[in-house]
């Protein structure tokens, strides 16, 4: 599929020239002669990239950029600046433009920059993909051998076959999201999506539109129809995480959507029907929330058709050796290590610790130990810090990383190398361009770029650029 580019430029001769070049390069190109027309076109079409002049009558390029960023954070925008207008270029970059080109445009340079931006988009998308992949995969491996946990596995297997609503309850890090994954991927719905909504992450009005969608014009900022998560999860599973945080006002609409499998998007009078399996999770006591008037009793009973309780890790220490073995296997692959096992003394430390962050905390500690370990066996020295932490019932004392943050941290590691490479190539391109303009004169380049001459010189050296090559 051809990538679609929108050129925003008031001078038609220039625009046509760039269009021809970009079409030759295999892109599909549209042209808008001013900011207003550009807004209209962007509202109607899905462009992959916007190339916009900064200086235009009425709505200028920076205002257009603001408008774009307000409604869609993702789409790459490249700005075109006048030769001497470094200020606006810098302002544009700060506002979230991906890059800029200077007039008169060197067509080769333009195609290179566009190519680079698309490559960077791919990297960003890969990151999102890795994220999904990781959480999906973790759904496949539920480890536990204690009598307590075997009961849970049994429940998962039984309920997976049905469409019953499941309510998972347990402290943070006990595996609620993992169990939700296991249920979905062992159910007849496994080939349809598993959609996750964290009810604590959004304020009431946004949460309503997140769940049920909205129609164009339903509220300021609703530029087009948006599907809600109920609709996206159609014929699949909707995982409502932290259900205790859902505002009371939304609870009746949610109840009706679950009970009758129908709802109206925000601003719409048309009823939408859906076929969605609901799994909800909470780490608070919903009964207490009912007493306080924060949770509707009827919704509670509707959700609690099939309750699953995940007990804290400290109450099922029998699972610890199996989890440890599982994490060793997992991180051997991920960290490219060949660790064979754990010393008894070290395992004893793990068995007697209180684990306020439950399995997530164990996983983090195992990963950390494996990063540090240079032999093929984990020894007690890696778990020394656990002695310093409270051993006893002091819930909520230690920081508890949410899953997203943890996955981000893992992905960050994979991603940072390519990001670093990208940033240094970005610096390099910028310096080369500036040096080209000044024909290798570092003092002039220092003026244009606003970088102190000495620093600039050091940077040029460190990137292996020879300023002499730009002399002619
Ligand atoms: N039984 C288990 N077997 C293997 N891994 C597990 C198990 N239980 C939890 N984990 C791992 O521990 C981490 C935390 O689990 P998860 O995110 O499902 O917890 P949670 O109950 O949803 O926590 P929170 O309430 O903080 O959102 C995940 O990386 C998960 O894969
Ligand atoms: Mg969770």
């Amino acid at each position: 599929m051809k990538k679609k580019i929108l050129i925003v430029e008031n001078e038609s001769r220039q625009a046509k020239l760039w269009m021809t070049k970009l079409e030759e390069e295999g892109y599909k190109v549209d042209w808008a002669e001013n900011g207003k027309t550009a807004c209209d076109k962007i509202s109607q079409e899905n462009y992959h990239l916007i190339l916009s002049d900064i200086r235009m009558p009425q709505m200028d390029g920076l205002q257009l950029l603001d408008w774009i960023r307000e409604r869609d954070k993702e789409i790459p925008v490249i700005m075109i600046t006048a030769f001497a207008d470094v200020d606006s270029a810098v302002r544009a970059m700060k506002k979230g433009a991906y890059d800029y080109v200077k007039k008169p445009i060197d067509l080769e340079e333009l195609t290179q920059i566009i190519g680079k931006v698309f490559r960077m988009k791919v990297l960003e998308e890969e990151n999102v993909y890795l994220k999904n992949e990781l959480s999906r995969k973790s759904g496949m491996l539920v480890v536990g051998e204690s009598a307590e946990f075997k009961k849970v596995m049994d429940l998962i297997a039984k309920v997976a076959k049905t469409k019953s609503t499941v309510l998972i309850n347990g402290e943070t890090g006990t595996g609620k999201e993992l169990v939700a994954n296991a249920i979905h991927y062992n159910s007849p719905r496994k080939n349809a999506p598993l959609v996750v909504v964290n009810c604590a992450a959004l304020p009431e009005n946004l949460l309503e539109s997140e769940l049920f969608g909205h129609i164009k014009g339903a509220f300021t900022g609703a530029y087009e129809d948006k599907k809600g998560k109920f609709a996206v999860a159609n014929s699949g599973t909707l995982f409502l995480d932290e259900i205790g945080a859902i505002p009371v006002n939304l609870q009746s609409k949610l109840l009706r959507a679950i009970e009758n499998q129908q709802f109206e998007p925000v601003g719409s009078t048309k009823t939408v029907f859906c076929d969605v399996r609901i799994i909800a999770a909470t780490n608070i006591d919903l009964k207490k929330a009912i007493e306080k008037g924060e949770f509707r009793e009827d919704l509670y009973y509707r959700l609690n058709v099939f309750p699953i309780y995940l007990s804290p890790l400290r109450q099922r220490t029998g699972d610890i050796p199996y989890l440890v073995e599982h994490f060793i296997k997992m991180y051997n692959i991920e960290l490219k290590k060949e660790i064979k096992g754990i010393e008894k003394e070290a395992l004893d430390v793990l068995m007697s610790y209180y684990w306020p962050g439950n399995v997530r905390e164990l996983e983090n500690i195992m990963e950390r130990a494996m990063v540090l370990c240079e032999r093929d066996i984990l020894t007690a020295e890696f778990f020394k810090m656990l002695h310093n932490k409270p051993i006893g019932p002091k819930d909520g004392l230690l920081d508890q990383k949410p899953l997203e943050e943890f996955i981000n941290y893992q992905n960050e590691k994979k991603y940072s190398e390519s990001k670093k490479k990208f940033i240094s190539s970005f610096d390099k391109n910028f310096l080369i361009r500036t040096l080209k303009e000044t024909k290798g004169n570092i003092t002039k380049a220092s003026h244009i770029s606003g970088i102190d001459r000495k620093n600039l010189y050091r940077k040029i050296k460190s990137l292996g650029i020879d300023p002499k090559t730009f002399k002619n």
Side-chain angles (χ1 to χ4, degrees):
M1 204 188 69
K2 280 189 178 181
K3 294 237 186 272
K4 270 179 279 175
I5 297 178
L6 178 68
I7 294 178
V8 191
E9 162 66 60
N10 52 324
E11 287 169 43
S12 66
R13 258 192 36 226
Q14 297 264 6
K16 295 234 168 81
L17 195 72
W18 307 333
M19 276 177 91
T20 316
K21 172 68 181 171
L22 293 177
E23 275 164 357
E24 271 172 33
E25 294 290 326
Y27 298 113
K28 192 168 177 299
V29 192
D30 253 356
W31 170 49
E33 60 190 332
N34 58 49
K36 286 267 175 326
T37 321
C39 294
D40 289 343
K41 286 192 177 254
I42 294 168
S43 304
Q44 285 155 19
E45 265 284 355
N46 281 324
Y47 293 102
H48 298 97
L49 188 143
I50 314 284
L51 178 67
S52 170
D53 198 358
I54 289 191
R55 259 191 237 170
M56 293 181 297
Q58 292 154 10
M59 184 184 206
D60 72 12
L62 293 175
Q63 286 168 308
L64 176 64
L65 181 60
D66 279 340
W67 183 87
I68 292 173
R69 283 292 166 261
E70 252 170 52
R71 66 187 297 278
D72 177 355
K73 301 252 177 300
E74 303 293 322
I75 184 164
V77 180
I78 298 178
M79 303 308 274
I80 303 165
T81 68
F83 175 74
D85 194 7
V86 182
D87 267 9
S88 318
V90 171
R91 286 225 313 276
M93 297 295 281
K94 280 197 187 136
K95 280 180 189 288
Y98 269 54
D99 207 339
Y100 63 93
V101 275
K102 284 184 186 158
K103 276 184 176 175
I105 290 188
D106 174 344
L107 291 177
E108 287 311 317
E109 186 189 337
L110 178 66
T111 52
Q112 269 180 27
I113 290 181
I114 290 178
K116 185 190 74 184
V117 167
F118 281 137
R119 283 196 299 281
M120 183 166 98
K121 267 319 262 188
V122 170
L123 272 180
E124 281 176 7
E125 274 154 22
E126 267 175 16
N127 190 30
V128 173
Y129 170 77
L130 274 175
K131 221 178 188 167
N132 295 337
E133 183 68 355
L134 209 78
S135 45
R136 197 182 63 75
K137 265 201 204 131
S138 63
M140 299 290 134
L141 274 166
V142 184
V143 176
E145 291 290 327
S146 61
E148 176 92 32
F149 204 76
K150 279 196 168 145
K151 268 188 227 151
V152 169
M153 302 257 232
D154 205 39
L155 290 179
I156 295 174
K158 285 207 177 102
V159 80
K161 295 191 209 113
T162 73
K163 201 196 159 183
S164 302
T165 301
V166 180
L167 180 62
I168 309 169
N169 196 194
E171 284 183 9
T172 182
T174 45
K176 295 184 293 295
E177 181 147 7
L178 182 77
V179 167
N181 270 266
I183 293 173
H184 174 76
Y185 286 107
N186 286 295
S187 78
R189 298 174 169 254
K190 63 173 178 240
N191 294 320
L194 167 67
V195 177
V196 182
V197 176
N198 184 333
C199 302
L202 293 171
E204 181 170 335
N205 51 347
L206 290 184
L207 183 60
E208 182 175 6
S209 125
E210 179 82 358
L211 286 170
F212 306 108
H214 63 244
I215 58 166
K216 188 174 171 176
F219 46 86
T220 23
Y223 295 102
E224 51 194 34
D225 292 6
K226 189 184 157 235
K227 255 192 176 186
K229 293 288 158 76
F230 260 93
V232 176
N234 196 21
S235 64
T237 305
L238 182 61
F239 176 47
L240 299 172
D241 204 358
E242 304 210 35
I243 188 80
I246 193 159
V248 177
N249 287 335
L250 254 185
Q251 289 178 12
S252 52
K253 185 164 180 179
L254 178 64
L255 176 64
R256 178 169 163 259
I258 298 174
E259 219 153 50
N260 305 337
Q261 300 274 287
Q262 65 185 56
F263 57 89
E264 286 85 36
V266 180
S268 168
T269 48
K270 250 199 243 151
T271 302
V272 178
F273 296 88
C274 62
D275 163 27
V276 175
R277 199 257 175 93
I278 303 287
I279 303 178
T282 178
N283 53 19
I284 65 162
D285 186 350
L286 290 180
K287 286 245 174 76
K288 277 198 192 129
I290 295 173
E291 278 165 25
K292 280 194 251 161
E294 287 163 4
F295 206 86
R296 287 179 66 122
E297 198 168 9
D298 47 7
L299 178 59
Y300 172 74
Y301 286 116
R302 185 61 195 81
L303 292 171
N304 204 32
V305 178
F306 198 99
I308 294 183
Y309 173 64
L310 297 173
S311 51
L313 190 57
R314 63 187 161 278
Q315 286 171 14
R316 47 178 168 106
T317 47
D319 287 339
I320 293 177
Y322 296 95
L323 286 164
V324 165
E325 192 190 319
H326 163 64
F327 292 133
I328 291 180
K329 276 191 203 142
M330 193 166 117
Y331 285 105
N332 267 340
I333 298 171
E334 188 154 330
L335 302 168
K336 299 196 175 60
K337 294 248 176 175
E338 286 179 17
I339 292 170
K340 298 207 168 56
I342 182 163
E343 268 181 10
K344 186 178 175 303
E345 198 190 329
L347 191 59
D348 286 345
V349 175
L350 298 182
M351 296 283 282
S352 54
Y353 179 58
Y354 179 67
W355 300 115
N358 293 296
V359 186
R360 178 184 294 111
E361 189 182 10
L362 174 62
E363 180 173 349
N364 289 344
I365 275 166
M366 286 298 294
E367 184 187 1
R368 181 183 172 280
M370 288 180 66
V371 168
L372 297 175
C373 181
E374 279 165 1
R375 293 168 49 198
D376 64 358
I377 187 146
L378 293 169
T379 50
E381 63 174 312
F382 297 117
F383 306 108
K384 264 194 291 206
M385 70 286 196
L386 297 183
H387 291 305
N388 305 329
K389 286 193 180 174
I391 302 209
K394 288 188 180 172
D395 281 359
L397 193 78
L398 302 170
D399 59 332
Q400 294 157 349
K401 273 195 205 166
L403 176 70
E404 290 77 16
E405 211 180 284
F406 172 64
I407 289 175
N408 273 341
Y409 154 68
Q410 288 196 323
N411 278 327
E412 196 95 331
K413 281 188 307 198
K414 296 189 185 122
Y415 186 51
S416 66
E417 279 311 306
S418 34
K419 200 152 109 191
K420 251 187 237 155
K421 264 189 216 148
F422 172 75
I423 288 169
S424 85
S425 81
F426 182 90
D427 279 355
K428 197 164 174 173
N429 286 343
F430 171 76
L431 290 179
I432 289 177
R433 263 189 277 154
T434 316
L435 285 168
K436 259 192 208 161
E437 273 168 39
T438 66
K439 299 201 175 0
N441 184 322
I442 296 180
T443 310
K444 269 192 203 157
S446 148
H447 279 302
I448 291 184
S449 63
I451 303 174
D452 171 73
R453 194 185 176 285
K454 235 198 268 164
N455 288 339
L456 185 65
Y457 185 74
R458 218 178 292 141
K459 186 96 198 151
I460 289 171
K461 281 272 139 148
S462 76
L463 290 169
I465 304 170
D466 180 3
K468 279 198 232 80
T469 49
F470 302 103
K471 278 247 158 78
N472 33 44

